[in-house]
Every structure is written in C-alpha cells, then in structure tokens.
Amino acid sequence: KNRALPLKARLLDADSVPVPGADLSAAPVIQVTFVSRNGGDPVDVTDEAIPVGLGTEGNTFVTSDDDTWRYNLKTSNFDAPGTYEIAMVTGDLDEYVISPTCTATFVIR
C-alpha cells in the first residue's frame, strides 16, 4: 500500500536515437486509469498521481545523465478496490516515442 512503483524508459526520435532531456519541448507524463473491481469502463485518475523519489513537481518525469527517464508512482495515493494501469506517455508524438513501452499494473483488493 505504501509502495512506490518505479517507471523508466528511453525516449527515441524518428531515427531511434535517444533524445536528451535538454532537447525536449514536451516531457513525458504519467497516465493512470482505474477499473473498479465491480467492472465498468476505465476512469482516468491521473490527477491523483503524485511523484515521489526521483519525480519532480507535478506529473512529470526526470531524466538522468544516461538519458533514462524515471518516475516513481506512490501507490498509497490510490485506495479504491480495483485495477490501476499506469502508462508513460509521450508529451509530443511528433518529437519522440517511448521505448520500450512503459506500463505497469497494480490491484487493490
């Protein structure tokens, strides 16, 4: 319940070359969707995502010297029973893609 879920990935341009953080106009962001254990359509609960550890202000990732982007999602911010899916999404598809696709899932019973 009080865990941090680490996410990390490399951002690549159209030629599969890593994109340094300083060269980006739109950093990647985290997206969190929730499906109740009773079922139903997924609900976007991204606003409840608060970065911890290597996260910075707001819903943004930070980059390291090796151009790896990181975000630690504090799972205790989510307490409704169901399944949460977390995805790292691009801030600008024309600028870069995320490789490998960065997703994670956790369940609260």
Side-chain angles (χ1 to χ4, degrees):
K1 195 139 173 132
N2 291 318
R3 300 179 123 187
L5 208 89
L7 301 168
K8 67 180 180 175
R10 297 190 81 181
L11 310 183
L12 305 176
D13 67 13
D15 297 320
S16 297
V17 175
V19 179
D23 294 344
L24 289 181
S25 63
V29 294
I30 195 85
Q31 183 176 45
V32 184
T33 55
F34 168 73
V35 175
S36 167
R37 68 178 176 193
N38 298 326
D41 293 330
V43 176
D44 187 330
V45 293
T46 303
D47 289 344
E48 297 172 34
I50 299 174
V52 298
L54 293 175
T56 59
E57 61 185 78
N59 178 11
T60 58
F61 283 74
V62 294
T63 186
S64 61
D65 291 339
D66 67 353
D67 293 325
T68 300
W69 287 78
R70 301 168 194 256
Y71 187 98
N72 292 330
L73 179 72
K74 186 176 177 183
T75 60
S76 64
N77 293 337
F78 306 97
D79 57 9
T83 302
Y84 294 84
E85 182 167 316
I86 301 94
M88 179 180 180
V89 296
T90 182
D92 184 349
L93 277 172
D94 292 330
E95 188 173 22
Y96 62 90
V97 296
I98 296 171
S99 178
T101 301
C102 189
T103 61
T105 302
F106 68 95
V107 176
I108 295 181
R109 300 199 191 291

